[in-house]
Amino acid sequence: MLGLCLLPGLAKGESPPLKESLIAAGKAFRLDHEAGKTGALDRLMAEIESLGQAHPAKREPWELLENVADWVKNNADKKKAYTRLVRLDAKRHPELVKLAKEELAWLDFLTKPIELKFTSTDGRKVDVAKLRGKVVLIYFCASWCPPCVQEYPTLKSVYDRYHKEGFEVIGISSDKTRAQFDQYSKRKKIPWPQHYETKPWEGRIMKQFRVRYIPRLFLLDHTGRVAAEDTRKNLEEKVRELLAKRR
């Protein structure tokens, strides 16, 4: 149940009233959220605000809000929750404030036109800014990743079908060696430009996009902004939808 999953670990000796209040707040939010009721997050934040004031030395109310911010899908709700966390006393809650600032910076990154420029492994100049007006998929993958290999035929099919209509793919590989990357690219005859990260997981582009797993997909609309993430199951549908919107 969401109320229990969102409940942060309670410190040893935690007072029952606070514990019970947190459980009740989490359950109420879950029910409101699942029912699609408006103001669910506002009501939860009001309750957390009250609990935070009643227990100023406790982290748990604010950890609940951080867990909710991480869980909800709507970026506006995420921003609202993290914005409140940023206003906490940084001396009393340094980790929560630091995390909230990082998350707000990430949300800001997702709402602005993406800037990405490099020379691909085959010598092509890639500049996402010059692809404005097109639908662009930034695709993080590797030949050692089974889902990436399994999904390549589908991705290639969508690319072949919509490339002439304005669909582009940019590949970012985290293969363990350049030799493995070259062999796989040649065997699969990958047509789109690619970047090879020499330091997988620590590479410049991997860090820019906070890639923590692969395959990782960022689908950009004609303005260069992220319109969807991880569209593995409905890629063609989303590409078709975004192509239609630019007309």
Side-chain angles (χ1 to χ4, degrees), residues 10 32 42 45 64 103 116 137 148 161 171 174 196 233:
L10 295 170
D32 284 354
D42 291 334
M45 290 179 66
L64 174 57
E103 293 302 323
L116 177 61
L137 175 67
C148 300
R161 186 171 302 171
S174 57
Y196 171 68
K233 295 182 178 180

Side-chain angles (χ1 to χ4, degrees), residues 65-78:
L65 182 58
E66 187 277 318
N67 288 340
V68 168
D70 180 64
W71 181 81
V72 295
K73 301 298 183 183
N74 184 285
N75 283 346
D77 286 343
K78 287 179 178 290

Side-chain angles (χ1 to χ4, degrees), residues 7-33:
L7 182 63
L10 295 170
K12 185 177 181 180
E14 183 60 84
S15 59
L18 177 56
K19 177 179 179 179
E20 292 170 3
S21 296
L22 289 170
I23 291 175
K27 285 183 176 179
F29 173 76
R30 173 182 60 83
L31 292 173
D32 284 354
H33 189 274

Side-chain angles (χ1 to χ4, degrees), residues 98-247:
K98 179 176 181 293
L99 182 146
K101 287 181 177 179
E102 292 174 349
E103 293 302 323
L104 284 174
W106 172 245
L107 291 172
D108 185 58
F109 170 78
L110 292 177
T111 60
K112 293 180 178 179
I114 296 298
E115 298 294 334
L116 177 61
K117 183 187 298 186
F118 61 87
T119 300
S120 68
T121 53
D122 61 6
R124 282 181 278 181
K125 301 294 183 180
V126 175
D127 185 351
V128 171
K130 293 181 178 179
L131 297 177
R132 302 287 191 263
K134 295 188 175 185
V135 174
V136 180
L137 175 67
I138 301 177
Y139 182 64
F140 292 85
C141 59
S143 65
W144 52 260
C145 164
C148 300
V149 175
Q150 294 167 6
E151 294 171 7
Y152 174 75
T154 299
L155 175 57
K156 177 63 162 51
S157 175
V158 175
Y159 175 81
D160 289 342
R161 186 171 302 171
Y162 297 100
H163 178 58
K164 291 183 179 179
E165 294 184 33
F167 175 53
E168 301 285 350
V169 177
I170 296 173
I172 312 295
S173 171
S174 57
D175 268 305
K176 296 177 180 179
T177 68
R178 177 60 188 265
Q180 290 177 335
F181 165 79
D182 288 337
Q183 291 170 5
Y184 181 78
S185 298
K186 184 177 180 180
R187 185 170 70 254
K188 294 293 185 178
K189 298 180 180 179
I190 297 177
W192 47 79
Q194 299 184 89
H195 171 79
Y196 171 68
E197 289 280 38
T198 56
K199 295 181 179 179
W201 309 112
E202 294 298 323
R204 173 180 64 87
I205 300 177
M206 298 282 278
K207 284 187 173 182
Q208 178 184 355
F209 285 85
R210 293 208 318 184
V211 176
R212 296 164 181 168
Y213 57 86
I214 56 174
R216 186 80 164 96
L217 291 74
F218 293 88
L219 192 59
L220 314 185
D221 64 15
H222 64 284
T223 70
R225 293 175 171 82
V226 176
E229 299 177 49
D230 294 337
T231 51
R232 296 169 60 192
K233 295 182 178 180
N234 62 339
L235 177 62
E236 183 170 1
E237 175 186 341
K238 292 300 295 185
V239 168
R240 191 166 56 241
E241 174 186 316
L242 292 174
L243 286 172
K245 285 184 177 180
R246 69 187 189 134
R247 297 184 185 125

